[in-house]
Amino acid sequence: ASTATGPGRRLLLSTPIFYANGPPHIGHLYSALLADALYRHRALRGAGPGRLSTGTDEHGLKIQQAAAAAGTAPPELCERVSGLFREALAQAAVSFTDFIRTSEPRHQRAVQHFWGALQDGGALYKGSYEGWYCTPEECFLPESQLAEHRDAQGRPYKVSLETGHQVHWTKEENYMFRLSAFRDPLRMWLQDNPKAISPDPFYQRVLHWLEEDLPDLSVSRERSRLQWGIPVPSDPTQTIYVWVDALVNYLSVVGYPERHGEWWPAAHHVVGKDILKFHAIYWPALLMAAGLAPPERILVHSHWTVRGQKMSKSLGNVIDPLSCMGQYTLDGFRYFLLRQGVPERDCDYYNEKVVKVVNSELADALGGLLNRSTALSINPSNTYPCFSESCFPKVWDHSQTNGMGRASAEDYELVTSVASLPLQVASYFEGFQIYKALECIALCVRQTNGFFQRHRPWKLDRKDPGEQLWLDTIIHVTLECLRVFGTLLQPVIPHTADRLLSRLAVEPEERGLSGLTFLPRYSGKPCPFEGRQLGPDTGVLFHRLETTRQRQ
């Protein structure tokens, strides 16, 4: 059932579980919003049972050290930070069905069972391991990924090339995972599933990694060094490596080891590019070694910079998502991140950009169009008016419109654009290009504003029967366009889309994507909305944002 396609198929969408050593920032929120939009879009398509999992990763040396520095115990620190993540995700309207904490008993039981499966399959052995360990990244790094710096006294020390974090030489006896044995199975999996990792540059990066040295992986730490973690079954001197522990969360949420078969491997993991190797090499190899299939897809996104600089506590430029939602509204901030975030490359954040995008596309273009087309001066009956086929006759060639009605070639182009929009949007969501879906919608909103402006319905004489027919048709076409936009925007700006659709008197059961048709009267079919009384006027759809002068 899990590998079937079409209606009725189950799918788990997941965010990474977030490390509980500090409060959430917009990078965390971006991961969650991408997964949430995919989950909501799939639900609107009626594609079958779905789940959206998220949570917090609560073990490891970094948390042990952060708790000690804060003068608290790891469980108390995790309880507090996990609460911050749950609150931020709920405030951002992330519709998660599962929130997993790695400190929960159900997860610990899953991890210990998974370890047993690795051991039973002969994938683990005990060995002495030494190398450069990076505590903030919780992993060993090869020399090729290090750079040498000097401290204030001129003493040399080594740092991670990618993150700049200091590394320390570590030698200990650990359990090792035979990662080197999985190079060919991983290659075959990727060759057989070219869509397993998206976008394509990240797929190519993983293939390149598989050409390089693939040493066995240390999968435990000495208990004397790391007490805050899940102990290795049958060896109390060792703690399971935090990344093995964390990755198993995707199985814990679907009921591993008893009930996971109903869902696994129909899982799509949304992850940041910094944790690609863990998800695209270590995780599939561990799953294969435990007798399970790799996840169906790994959807990878890049990072957010702030005015061209990497976000960091030391620079004081970490963006707090809760204050952003207060400043730009929940839907404004969701829209900005999903509209401007391009998974293939890092994206830059600054206050003026948010204000410009949200004001231009939500307040002015979308909100203005709804306001103008439902104004009592234009539509005094406050209804979804009738469409006139004589004013807007169906034609096969847009250039041959002269003398056939009131509609111009540009109007026919608008109808073609909006009619093709639902399939285009679905294709971009499927391809993990939500920003392109929003670009297409924004373009069609602009086209519809052009249509409304071009025909100046406020200048038409309502007393003339011919003019009245054309006026009603202009409003009918505009409201039909708005209904399509509102329906398609539900996964991204749920509250604003709800207000728009309620204003158009679109009932909850009429908001799905599977039955979405546009302008049926143009094709000679009945329109269920024609003649319907519009919903109550709830005022401005989206209030313009003010630019605030603040240090980002």
Side-chain angles (χ1 to χ4, degrees):
S2 60
T3 52
T5 54
R9 130 189 166 86
R10 293 168 182 261
L11 184 70
L12 168 71
L13 272 153
S14 68
T15 78
I17 50 170
F18 303 114
Y19 211 49
N21 67 326
H25 57 65
I26 65 165
H28 300 125
L29 200 70
Y30 182 51
S31 288
L33 290 180
L34 286 166
D36 181 60
L38 294 172
Y39 175 74
R40 286 174 179 268
H41 186 265
R42 186 176 182 276
L44 286 165
R45 279 186 10 239
R51 290 168 81 160
L52 174 58
S53 73
T54 188
T56 42
D57 176 4
E58 303 185 8
H59 292 136
L61 197 56
K62 194 161 46 166
I63 284 171
Q64 191 172 294
Q65 291 174 350
T72 185
E76 280 75 58
L77 174 73
C78 292
E79 182 73 31
R80 184 178 66 78
V81 177
S82 185
L84 293 175
F85 273 96
R86 190 186 269 271
E87 181 194 355
L89 295 173
Q91 285 208 20
V94 175
S95 43
F96 56 86
T97 59
D98 298 83
F99 190 97
I100 183 92
R101 298 180 58 192
T102 57
S103 54
E104 289 178 52
R106 63 170 171 155
H107 175 71
Q108 304 205 15
R109 197 169 70 85
V111 171
Q112 290 184 316
H113 191 279
F114 189 80
W115 183 277
L118 293 176
Q119 209 151 30
D120 293 347
L124 303 178
Y125 64 93
K126 201 123 185 228
S128 182
Y129 193 86
E130 56 184 319
W132 294 102
Y133 194 77
C134 180
T135 300
E137 294 169 58
E138 294 283 15
C139 64
F140 284 96
L141 293 173
E143 285 280 354
S144 60
Q145 289 177 28
L146 302 177
E148 191 167 285
H149 286 193
R150 292 190 176 271
D151 65 17
Q153 284 74 44
R155 291 179 301 226
Y157 66 95
K158 289 189 185 287
V159 298
S160 161
L161 262 179
E162 193 173 335
T163 64
H165 293 133
Q166 189 170 355
V167 296
H168 300 277
W169 187 259
T170 306
K171 182 177 181 178
E172 54 187 52
E173 193 176 5
N174 296 332
Y175 284 93
M176 305 293 293
F177 170 62
R178 298 183 197 280
L179 181 63
S180 54
F182 288 89
R183 184 197 303 273
D184 288 339
L186 287 168
R187 273 198 198 128
M188 282 176 63
W189 163 59
L190 289 175
Q191 281 159 10
D192 292 345
N193 300 280
K195 291 249 164 61
I197 300 166
S198 295
D200 188 63
F202 297 113
Y203 175 80
Q204 299 301 335
R205 189 180 298 182
V206 175
L207 284 177
H208 177 70
W209 283 336
L210 290 172
E211 297 299 319
E212 295 175 348
D213 192 26
L214 201 64
D216 287 352
L217 187 65
S218 167
V219 287
S220 72
R221 307 294 313 274
E222 285 176 357
R223 194 85 185 154
S224 58
R225 198 183 293 258
L226 175 62
Q227 300 85 46
W228 181 239
I230 301 173
V232 168
S234 73
D235 188 348
T237 68
Q238 296 277 316
T239 301
I240 295 174
Y241 174 45
V242 64
W243 266 104
V244 176
D245 166 358
L247 288 164
V248 175
N249 95 83
Y250 303 123
L251 291 174
S252 306
V253 295
V254 291
Y256 181 82
E258 293 89 14
R259 300 185 313 280
H260 61 284
E262 295 174 21
W263 293 86
W264 198 264
H268 292 185
H269 300 324
V270 174
V271 302
K273 65 179 182 181
D274 54 318
I275 52 175
L276 176 58
K277 187 172 275 186
F278 296 98
H279 283 83
I281 291 183
Y282 301 165
W283 179 224
L286 287 162
L287 285 162
M288 290 174 187
L292 294 165
E296 212 170 79
R297 290 187 78 185
I298 298 163
L299 306 169
V300 191
H301 66 80
S302 297
H303 295 156
W304 282 89
T305 55
V306 179
R307 297 191 186 278
Q309 287 186 300
K310 189 173 176 177
M311 253 190 289
S312 77
K313 289 177 196 165
S314 57
L315 287 174
N317 66 350
V318 176
I319 303 294
D320 169 29
L322 291 179
S323 70
C324 289
M325 286 185 267
Q327 191 179 341
Y328 309 124
T329 76
L330 159 63
D331 278 357
F333 196 52
R334 280 179 66 109
Y335 185 81
F336 173 77
L337 288 183
L338 293 171
R339 171 76 168 93
Q340 293 289 305
V342 178
E344 293 94 316
R345 60 175 185 267
D346 288 354
C347 301
D348 199 36
Y349 170 95
Y350 50 94
N351 174 52
E352 298 86 348
K353 193 193 219 176
V354 185
V355 172
K356 187 178 174 185
V357 168
V358 170
N359 280 350
S360 157
E361 296 186 2
L362 291 187
D364 299 346
L366 188 68
L369 184 63
L370 178 70
N371 190 41
R372 294 200 295 166
S373 57
T374 56
L376 283 176
S377 56
I378 291 268
N379 185 358
S381 63
N382 195 38
T383 57
Y384 216 99
C386 293
F387 176 89
S388 163
E389 286 162 12
S390 62
C391 291
F392 211 131
K394 189 173 178 69
V395 297
W396 300 108
D397 182 353
H398 298 172
S399 60
Q400 307 297 313
T401 56
N402 292 350
M404 289 186 62
R406 302 287 295 263
S408 68
E410 283 174 293
D411 302 337
Y412 285 97
E413 282 165 21
L414 167 70
V415 167
T416 304
S417 296
V418 180
S420 65
L421 194 58
L423 269 179
Q424 217 175 359
V425 165
S427 155
Y428 283 134
F429 266 81
E430 177 60 28
F432 194 51
Q433 294 177 306
I434 296 170
Y435 71 102
K436 282 193 175 175
L438 294 177
E439 202 176 295
C440 288
I441 295 170
L443 198 63
C444 283
V445 173
R446 274 206 299 279
Q447 266 184 291
T448 313
N449 270 300
F451 164 76
F452 197 82
Q453 192 67 29
R454 191 161 53 245
H455 295 300
R456 301 174 179 269
W458 55 92
K459 292 272 178 96
L460 296 174
D461 180 6
R462 197 175 278 103
K463 296 188 188 72
D464 179 326
E467 297 278 272
Q468 175 70 52
L469 278 179
W470 179 225
L471 172 61
D472 285 351
T473 302
I474 293 166
I475 297 169
H476 181 99
V477 171
T478 305
L479 297 187
E480 275 291 274
C481 290
L482 278 164
R483 182 175 64 82
V484 170
F485 305 148
T487 306
L488 293 173
L489 285 168
Q490 289 175 102
V492 175
I493 46 171
H495 297 25
T496 305
D498 173 57
R499 288 185 64 204
L500 191 161
L501 294 172
S502 296
R503 179 72 176 108
L504 300 182
V506 182
E507 299 293 340
E509 65 275 9
E510 297 171 320
R511 298 180 182 189
L513 292 171
S514 53
L516 181 59
T517 54
F518 167 64
L519 205 59
R521 291 282 278 105
Y522 177 68
S523 305
K525 295 174 188 151
C527 172
F529 303 96
E530 202 169 56
R532 191 182 287 190
Q533 197 71 26
L534 293 181
D537 183 359
T538 51
V540 175
L541 179 70
F542 197 98
H543 288 275
R544 284 180 62 81
L545 303 175
E546 298 300 320
T547 308
T548 57
R549 291 192 171 277
Q550 62 174 46
R551 189 170 64 84
Q552 294 291 1

